[in-house]
Amino acid sequence: MIALIYFAATLAFVLGLKAMSSPATAVQGMRIAGVAMVVAVVATLLTPGLNHRGLIFIALVLGAVTAWRSAQRVAMTEMPQMVAIYNGLGGGAAAAIAAAELVGGRVHTPSVGILAVIGATIGAVAFAGSVIAWAKLDGRLARVWRLPKAHNDAVLFLAILTLGLGLTLGVSDHPDGFGLFLFFVLALALGGLLTLPIGGADMPVVISLLNAFTGLAVGFEGYVLANPMLIVAGIVVGASGTLLTVLMAKAMNRPIGNVLFAPLTGEANTTGAETVSGRLKEYSATDAAAALRYAQQVVIVPGYGMAVAGAQHKVWELAQLLEEAGVTVKFAIHPVAGRMPGHMNVLLAEAGVPYEKIFDLEEINGEFPQTDVALVIGANDVVNPAARTNSGSPIYGMPILNVDQAREVIVIKRGKGKGYSGIENELFYLDHCHLVYGSAQEVVAALIAELKAMG
Ligand code: NAP
């Protein structure tokens, strides 16, 4: 009976994930997967011979209440941090399963022991890495840190040491307690050393990679526990995380090996960063509203600043007003805009922007030369032409939204703040670019008021 329930829940997971691949059905997909998870947990609790049901139940209630409350309270701007930390907890849980099985001497065959250790290593790396990613996204940790010398060699040495020790313990009948402790400390340190040097524009790739790691770790531990549900859920997360990593790396035009072992420093490379010339030209809300009102086509490019300001609802109101006035409005989304994969899609969907108005980088880039106004709202790195032209720039090679090719560019931002990668943006100094200063929420509200006044 339990096997049957697991099978049904597994199917529901796969269907839920399929539904998540389109924004139109994503919420439904989340619900299907959520119900499947509850069913699977209940089935596990009913498994004959399960010990400590009371303790498990208390842990479940504590975890569920904490997650429910924090998910309800989290501000939309803190969503990337929350995703990072919950991802880390998944990896940590997988490592904890391995620890419990190894310490309890329940791993009876060497092959299972080896899988437990591999899963534990990946899980501990995902846990430590995700905590660091969380701290970086939350602004609690300086962006990059690496050993003064031979960092990559140290990582390689630590990886060999961790796996070597782990495998020795994994194949032994009674793994030594101190040895296991040391193994987990080394695995956590490995996660830290791998993630600490990564910063700036590479963060999206590392976040999706850690996501894939967590899935893999859960899959391995599912095998150790002989739990098909965990195996499938882990593999599904591992596979989708891997695909996301490949997509993110492609969006950044950065081989994954480079992200891990030749990371961008996240600091401005002075070559080129200082060569920006021209002057910043300001627009009032009235100037900007007029330019937008009399355009035929406007492409709106949202970025992290729109998320921080929580301006998505106002932005959609502005777009609707422009459309009523006969202007064609499109939204252009860069895959790494914001601070988590799909960040802008989530915000625009929340505001009710129809999916057919939202375009990916490849779909929209050809349209900028025919666009009258590109309206950049709190985006910076994803529209920085240095990525095309300045080989000294830390974002060199990353495909960008070619807003500079539009007839006019209007940028909403608060001041001279740089983007996540910490570099200057020559776009803002171009002759046909104007800045409207202020927080996105207030500026867009002012634009709406101006448009209404124009009638
Ligand atoms: P960005 O490069 O971080 O630039 C955001 C801009 O928004 C800043 O220049 C800032 O300028 C402005 N801003 C901040 N608060 C604002 C507000 N309240 N109202 C208006 N403007 C505001 O953003 P992006 O173009 O979206 O690029 C994303 C960057 O984050 C990329 O480098 C990407 O690699 C990185 N990243 C992405 C992810 C992911 O998964 N998507 C994860 C981690 C890192 P002012 O201070 O002058 O206002």
Side-chain angles (χ1 to χ4, degrees), residues 159-176:
I160 294 171
L161 195 66
T162 310
L163 272 176
L165 176 63
L167 293 177
T168 319
L169 295 164
V171 295
S172 101
D173 285 340
H174 300 288
D176 171 57

Side-chain angles (χ1 to χ4, degrees), residues 201 203 304 336 338-341 378 380-381 413-415 417 419-420 439-440:
M203 283 305 282
Y304 176 64
V336 304
R339 292 291 182 272
M340 66 176 182
N380 192 335
D381 290 344
K413 69 202 295 289
R414 295 163 309 168
Y420 191 76
S439 186

Side-chain angles (χ1 to χ4, degrees), residues 63-150:
V65 170
T66 315
W68 185 272
R69 287 174 67 94
S70 64
Q72 270 184 330
R73 283 185 189 170
V74 68
M76 221 40 184
T77 47
E78 286 159 10
M79 205 58 105
Q81 290 93 306
M82 193 175 117
V83 170
I85 202 72
Y86 278 136
N87 179 56
L89 292 180
I97 291 175
E101 293 300 293
L102 290 163
V103 171
R106 285 187 290 273
V107 176
H108 298 303
T109 64
S111 61
V112 177
I114 291 171
L115 289 180
V117 163
I118 297 175
T121 312
I122 303 174
V125 166
F127 174 70
S130 299
V131 170
I132 288 166
W134 163 80
K136 284 188 181 186
L137 290 172
D138 210 42
R140 289 167 193 256
L141 202 65
R143 277 191 188 148
V144 291
W145 180 89
R146 51 195 291 124
L147 291 172
K149 270 191 195 157

Side-chain angles (χ1 to χ4, degrees), residues 61-425:
V61 171
L62 279 178
V65 170
T66 315
W68 185 272
R69 287 174 67 94
S70 64
Q72 270 184 330
R73 283 185 189 170
V74 68
M76 221 40 184
T77 47
E78 286 159 10
M79 205 58 105
Q81 290 93 306
M82 193 175 117
V83 170
I85 202 72
Y86 278 136
N87 179 56
L89 292 180
I97 291 175
E101 293 300 293
L102 290 163
V103 171
R106 285 187 290 273
V107 176
H108 298 303
T109 64
S111 61
V112 177
I114 291 171
L115 289 180
V117 163
I118 297 175
T121 312
I122 303 174
V125 166
F127 174 70
S130 299
V131 170
I132 288 166
W134 163 80
K136 284 188 181 186
L137 290 172
D138 210 42
R140 289 167 193 256
L141 202 65
R143 277 191 188 148
V144 291
W145 180 89
R146 51 195 291 124
L147 291 172
K149 270 191 195 157
H151 186 93
N152 289 347
D153 296 338
V155 170
L156 189 67
F157 176 71
L158 193 57
I160 294 171
L161 195 66
T162 310
L163 272 176
L165 176 63
L167 293 177
T168 319
L169 295 164
V171 295
S172 101
D173 285 340
H174 300 288
D176 171 57
F178 178 72
L180 279 172
F181 174 75
L182 191 64
F183 159 70
F184 278 104
V185 171
L186 291 179
L188 290 171
L190 179 63
L193 271 195
L194 265 173
T195 328
L196 277 168
I198 303 172
D202 276 341
M203 283 305 282
V205 185
V206 87
I207 289 171
S208 26
L209 189 66
L210 291 169
N211 186 233
F213 277 8
T214 292
L216 277 178
V218 169
F220 277 116
E221 299 316 329
Y223 191 83
V224 172
L225 292 181
N227 183 317
M229 197 65 221
L230 271 189
I231 299 178
V232 174
I235 290 174
V236 163
V237 175
S240 52
T242 306
L243 285 176
L244 188 61
T245 309
V246 172
L247 282 175
M248 282 289 159
K250 214 176 118 212
M252 300 293 304
N253 203 10
R254 297 262 298 150
I256 294 161
N258 279 15
V259 173
L260 289 177
F261 300 113
L264 301 172
T265 61
E267 305 297 327
N269 178 334
T270 43
T271 359
E274 306 302 327
T275 60
V276 173
S277 59
R279 64 184 182 90
L280 297 170
K281 296 158 294 301
E282 189 175 349
Y283 252 181
S284 66
T286 320
D287 301 330
L292 293 166
R293 169 68 182 76
Y294 297 106
Q296 280 187 342
Q297 171 156 296
V298 170
V299 175
I300 298 179
V301 178
Y304 176 64
M306 185 191 80
V308 178
Q312 60 274 17
H313 292 275
K314 284 261 169 279
V315 171
W316 175 223
E317 196 184 332
L318 173 79
Q320 283 169 297
L321 271 179
L322 288 171
E323 292 213 313
E324 279 163 24
V327 182
T328 306
V329 181
K330 295 181 177 175
F331 288 82
I333 297 197
H334 192 285
V336 304
R339 292 291 182 272
M340 66 176 182
H343 201 171
M344 295 301 123
N345 301 72
V346 171
L347 294 179
L348 294 184
E350 188 214 356
V353 179
Y355 313 118
E356 62 272 13
K357 293 200 184 302
I358 300 176
F359 296 86
D360 290 337
L361 184 130
E362 299 85 32
E363 292 171 323
I364 199 83
N365 254 352
E367 288 206 29
F368 281 110
Q370 296 92 49
T371 297
D372 301 291
V373 181
L375 179 63
V376 177
I377 306 181
N380 192 335
D381 290 344
V382 300
V383 292
N384 191 339
R388 284 196 311 250
T389 53
N390 183 352
S391 60
S393 161
I395 56 166
Y396 183 65
M398 174 176 97
I400 55 155
L401 287 163
N402 296 328
V403 293
D404 55 329
Q405 293 174 359
R407 294 191 185 108
E408 178 165 19
V409 187
I410 299 177
V411 179
I412 300 174
K413 69 202 295 289
R414 295 163 309 168
K416 289 191 172 178
K418 291 178 178 156
Y420 191 76
S421 62
I423 53 165
E424 194 54 86
N425 192 338

